[in-house]
Amino acid sequence: MEEVDVEPVITNIPAASHGKHLGFAWGPGDILLFETLYKASGSAGSGCAFIHEVRKDEDIYSPILRKLFNESHHIFVGLQTIREDLPSKNKKPQFVSISKNYRSVIRACMEELQQVAVSTKDAQVAMQYGNQVSILLAIELIWNLCEVLFIDAAPAGSLLLHLLDWVRLHKADVDEKARDVLQSESPAEHHDYWDVVMSYVLQGRLDEARQMLMKQANLQPAARNIYKLMDTLLSKMPFYNPGGNQTLTEFDVKWRHWHEEVDRCLQDSSFASNKHLEIICKILVGDEDTLLAHKDLLSTWYHFLVTRLLFCHPTVKPTELHYYAQSCLTMFLDSRSVPEPLDSILLAAFEFDIHQVIKDCSIALNNWWFVAHLTDLLDHCKLLQSHNLHFGSNLREFLLLEYASGLFTHHSLWQLAVDYFDNCPEFGRVYLELQIERVPLDTERKALKVLRICEQRQMSEQVRSICKVMAMRALRNNRLGSALSWSIRAKDAAFATLISERFLQDYCARGTFSDLDLIDNLGPAMLLSDRLTFLGKYREFHKLYGEKRFGEAAKLLLSLMTAKIAPRSFWMTLLTDALPLLEQKEVGRYNVLRIVFHPINNIDA
């Protein structure tokens, strides 16, 4: 989206009496007012008050986050074009793809914010960008989980694979640690070596864990047998393949046999001589105490949940998730700890309570972007059909209206909001009509842009209002051509008459017309008012006279007089124009006399 509008200027507020001053700031959908105290230096009453700007939604003023709003707008518009009559099974891959597109935009903005936060030398800016990164991380985490549970709706078997990908994507610090370990002189002796191995196992990345363990085995030839046994156990762990020939029941039987084999090794104390391998063996059998002992590596209760499912319940069904999620949250958090808003949101998602997820996100997050776009996507997936609000609009439309209203307060993002209003069938038109009138028409280019939007939607009242505002502004600046053009576009006969009068007055004062291109090309628009018709025809008379077509000029001048559309103040000018025609042979003397004496007859009448 092209941003052609300039940043709004800062206005200084003159100092008021008694040291009290009124501060104000425009925010998304509101104005915040507050009093400030100001002590001017020097003589009393000099200087201006310091204004502290307060914004409800700071994000729309961030240049990087504006990319998020612009890119997601394109995805949103594309989503609205998906045909409603397509079968759900045909639309599901499209919805999943759109969800991934939204997440890729979030990730791109997050990475850019992270780079700026690291490179800036301003501590306050770094903290601001760091906070925005944290918010986007949480947003992407929630969105990804909603994609797995609601949009993709993965069944048992596939569900765990998606949850593993979800955890791996959002717990990527192990990869950074692994790079440090592998780049060291002796990776197996690095202080983070075993943390990396354990993290790989906890995330189900068993091939990478095996590669790491080989480095340790090479250093300990005497312990090679137990390392080989562990490698065998890790390599034999079955993972469900949704595209394979194996049924979920067959996979479950195979997994249970493997699980029993690992448990036998543990009972036989096969790894008693190596505490690290014994810990890995306990993890593989899903020992809860061992898992909870590695809270620092798991870091979150939902990582603990997915790891516990991987090694205890790999065929978990979607309907069983809420039980395991609640128990893992209780087990992982300290008894004195209070769940964070993010914990409550994720727990609501695991409980398949979509509306609670949206409600909690609306409260916890600092803008409407996330809930508006996620709700719109879920609504297209037919997951919100049963939920309507008491005041008439459904949940999707309510959130889109709130988000778009916030965009409309920004000097350039308001253009995006138009498409959101267009796709709110119940109240979108009303909101657009109200908001479009509040867009400041700073430049003629911006006014034309607003006007085009209104004309495309047959918003005739707003078209007239915009044209009148611009016509009046042009008239105040003595730009008669622009003023006339706007009044014609507004179809305002009274204002067109007023401006035509000004054109004629200027002609009487200067002897020439300004804006000849406009007057010469009025066409049917000159019929808007009698005075505008006269202006156009009178200019046509001058063109005929200049082209020495005196006969046609005389007839036109006569018709202007007989039609009684010439202003009385202009009659003497018309008579003066008629006098040179007396000298022209091709102009009949009778016509000239009619021109000369016609005004006098009108006066007598």
Side-chain angles (χ1 to χ4, degrees):
M1 176 64 66
E2 179 189 12
E3 294 187 11
V4 297
D5 309 318
V6 296
E7 290 282 353
V9 296
I10 297 172
T11 304
N12 290 319
I13 309 299
S17 58
H18 309 299
K20 289 185 177 181
H21 309 275
L22 181 67
F24 68 93
W26 291 95
D30 60 2
I31 307 173
L32 305 177
L33 300 172
F34 55 94
E35 280 191 346
T36 61
L37 293 176
Y38 172 73
K39 186 175 181 181
S41 57
S43 59
S46 64
C48 291
F50 291 108
I51 300 301
H52 298 276
E53 190 170 8
V54 179
R55 287 169 173 166
K56 180 175 138 187
D57 184 358
E58 189 73 22
D59 289 349
I60 65 172
Y61 302 98
S62 166
I64 297 174
L65 289 180
R66 281 211 292 271
K67 296 178 182 177
L68 173 68
F69 302 134
N70 277 295
E71 292 298 324
S72 58
H73 163 260
H74 295 308
I75 301 171
F76 170 83
V77 172
L79 173 58
Q80 313 313 307
T81 62
I82 294 179
R83 288 169 48 195
E84 288 288 330
D85 58 345
L86 287 175
S88 296
K89 63 177 182 180
N90 294 348
K91 290 190 284 189
K92 181 178 172 180
Q94 295 183 64
F95 291 144
V96 172
S97 175
I98 287 169
S99 180
K100 292 181 187 297
N101 289 341
Y102 274 126
R103 290 199 294 114
S104 67
V105 170
I106 297 171
R107 285 242 154 217
C109 286
M110 194 162 48
E111 290 169 6
E112 189 171 351
L113 283 168
Q114 186 70 53
Q115 290 172 2
V116 175
V118 170
S119 62
T120 185
K121 296 180 180 178
D122 189 323
Q124 188 173 357
V125 172
M127 184 175 71
Q128 178 187 345
Y129 283 136
N131 291 338
Q132 290 175 343
V133 168
S134 300
I135 292 169
L136 288 181
L137 273 170
I139 285 175
E140 211 267 333
L141 178 75
I142 299 165
W143 191 304
N144 195 350
L145 183 60
C146 290
E147 179 186 303
V148 170
L149 300 180
F150 307 142
I151 302 168
D152 201 1
S158 299
L159 176 59
L160 179 61
L161 300 178
H162 286 296
L163 290 176
L164 281 170
D165 290 338
W166 174 61
V167 162
R168 291 165 186 169
L169 181 63
H170 298 279
K171 190 71 174 66
D173 58 337
V174 62
D175 295 309
E176 192 174 335
K177 267 187 183 180
R179 277 194 297 271
D180 292 339
V181 169
L182 293 172
Q183 289 171 3
S184 63
E185 291 183 7
S186 178
E189 295 176 343
H190 194 280
H191 61 90
D192 283 333
Y193 171 82
W194 284 109
D195 280 352
V196 171
V197 173
M198 297 299 175
S199 296
Y200 278 149
V201 175
L202 290 168
Q203 289 189 11
R205 298 164 66 174
L206 304 187
D207 287 339
E208 289 154 292
R210 290 171 61 202
Q211 291 173 13
M212 276 288 186
L213 286 172
M214 287 297 294
K215 299 184 182 300
Q216 192 68 233
N218 293 334
L219 284 181
Q220 302 179 39
R224 184 161 299 187
N225 287 337
I226 58 170
Y227 276 99
K228 187 175 181 180
L229 176 60
M230 177 55 69
D231 185 72
T232 302
L233 292 177
L234 292 173
S235 66
K236 288 170 67 176
M237 180 178 176
F239 283 86
Y240 181 66
N241 180 11
N245 297 323
Q246 193 178 51
T247 65
L248 189 63
T249 304
E250 291 170 342
F251 163 75
D252 188 49
V253 170
K254 186 177 180 181
W255 183 87
R256 289 182 186 281
H257 287 157
W258 169 83
H259 196 265
E260 289 169 2
E261 183 180 350
V262 176
D263 192 47
R264 280 196 301 272
C265 290
L266 190 62
Q267 299 304 324
D268 295 345
S269 301
S270 300
F271 301 103
S273 61
N274 190 309
K275 66 173 184 177
H276 295 296
L277 295 184
E278 189 173 37
I279 289 172
I280 293 174
C281 191
K282 288 181 179 180
I283 291 174
L284 293 180
V285 296
D287 183 73
E288 289 179 356
D289 291 336
T290 304
L291 292 176
L292 290 171
H294 290 82
K295 278 186 179 182
D296 56 329
L297 297 181
L298 292 167
S299 74
T300 61
W301 67 269
Y302 46 89
H303 188 181
F304 171 51
L305 165 66
V306 176
T307 300
R308 186 182 170 199
L309 293 175
L310 173 64
F311 296 117
C312 298
H313 311 284
T315 58
V316 62
K317 298 175 183 176
T319 52
E320 299 169 340
L321 273 179
H322 68 94
Y323 164 74
Y324 294 116
Q326 183 62 68
S327 65
C328 286
L329 176 63
T330 305
M331 292 165 63
F332 194 85
L333 295 183
D334 188 274
S335 58
R336 293 167 294 178
S337 300
V338 178
E340 296 288 335
L342 178 61
D343 299 326
S344 301
I345 293 167
L346 295 177
L347 190 59
F350 283 121
E351 292 171 351
F352 284 82
D353 191 343
I354 298 176
H355 300 110
Q356 192 62 43
V357 171
I358 294 169
K359 179 182 175 181
D360 290 348
C361 288
S362 299
I363 296 169
L365 299 176
N366 62 342
N367 65 62
W368 295 103
W369 179 89
F370 171 71
V371 287
H373 290 87
L374 179 61
T375 304
D376 173 61
L377 181 54
L378 294 175
D379 186 73
H380 277 82
C381 295
K382 306 296 183 186
L383 295 171
L384 297 173
Q385 298 306 300
S386 62
H387 198 79
N388 287 322
L389 303 180
H390 297 299
F391 44 85
S393 176
N394 61 36
L395 183 60
R396 169 192 175 273
E397 182 158 321
F398 169 75
L399 294 172
L400 286 177
L401 291 173
E402 289 297 318
Y403 172 65
S405 297
L407 290 181
F408 242 101
T409 63
H410 191 270
H411 68 277
S412 64
L413 292 178
W414 65 269
Q415 300 165 74
L416 307 181
V418 175
D419 285 321
Y420 290 95
F421 285 140
D422 282 345
N423 287 284
C424 294
E426 192 164 352
F427 295 122
R429 169 86 178 201
V430 177
Y431 268 67
L432 180 58
E433 288 175 351
L434 292 172
Q435 294 285 355
I436 204 83
E437 292 178 349
R438 300 175 186 175
V439 176
L441 306 176
D442 306 316
T443 64
E444 193 154 311
R445 183 176 183 179
K446 188 173 182 180
L448 287 169
K449 189 181 297 182
V450 176
L451 188 66
R452 185 166 58 251
I453 289 169
C454 294
E455 287 176 338
Q456 288 169 349
R457 290 156 183 81
Q458 288 82 49
M459 295 163 59
S460 53
E461 190 62 36
Q462 284 70 28
V463 168
R464 282 194 294 272
S465 175
I466 293 165
C467 292
K468 286 180 180 180
V469 168
M470 296 306 294
M472 186 61 72
R473 184 181 298 174
L475 186 60
R476 283 198 300 266
N477 293 327
N478 205 35
R479 295 168 53 228
L480 297 182
S482 179
L484 181 59
S485 177
W486 284 110
S487 64
I488 291 172
R489 203 157 187 173
K491 296 182 173 58
D492 189 332
F495 205 70
T497 298
L498 174 66
I499 299 168
S500 300
E501 289 275 11
R502 285 285 301 271
F503 266 106
L504 295 172
Q505 289 170 13
D506 273 15
Y507 173 77
C508 290
R510 296 160 50 194
T512 57
F513 281 112
S514 59
D515 299 286
L516 289 178
D517 285 345
L518 174 64
I519 300 173
D520 288 344
N521 294 284
L522 285 173
M526 72 171 65
L527 301 176
L528 183 60
S529 76
D530 287 349
R531 198 65 82 243
L532 184 57
T533 303
F534 175 77
L535 175 64
K537 290 297 182 182
Y538 185 63
R539 166 57 190 158
E540 190 179 329
F541 160 76
H542 272 274
K543 286 178 68 178
L544 292 172
Y545 190 90
E547 294 169 1
K548 302 187 185 306
R549 296 157 65 184
F550 301 117
E552 295 175 56
K555 288 178 183 178
L556 179 55
L557 191 59
L558 178 59
S559 68
L560 288 177
M561 300 298 291
T562 55
K564 300 181 181 179
I565 59 174
R568 286 175 177 264
S569 60
F570 210 73
W571 281 356
M572 285 305 297
T573 303
L574 292 178
L575 287 172
T576 306
D577 288 333
L579 292 176
L581 294 175
L582 290 170
E583 302 172 3
Q584 308 303 324
K585 293 179 181 179
E586 61 266 36
V587 179
R589 188 170 296 274
Y590 172 73
N591 283 337
V592 176
L593 290 175
R594 285 182 67 193
I595 294 170
V596 172
F597 289 107
H598 187 271
I600 299 173
N601 292 335
N602 281 343
I603 293 171
D604 290 342

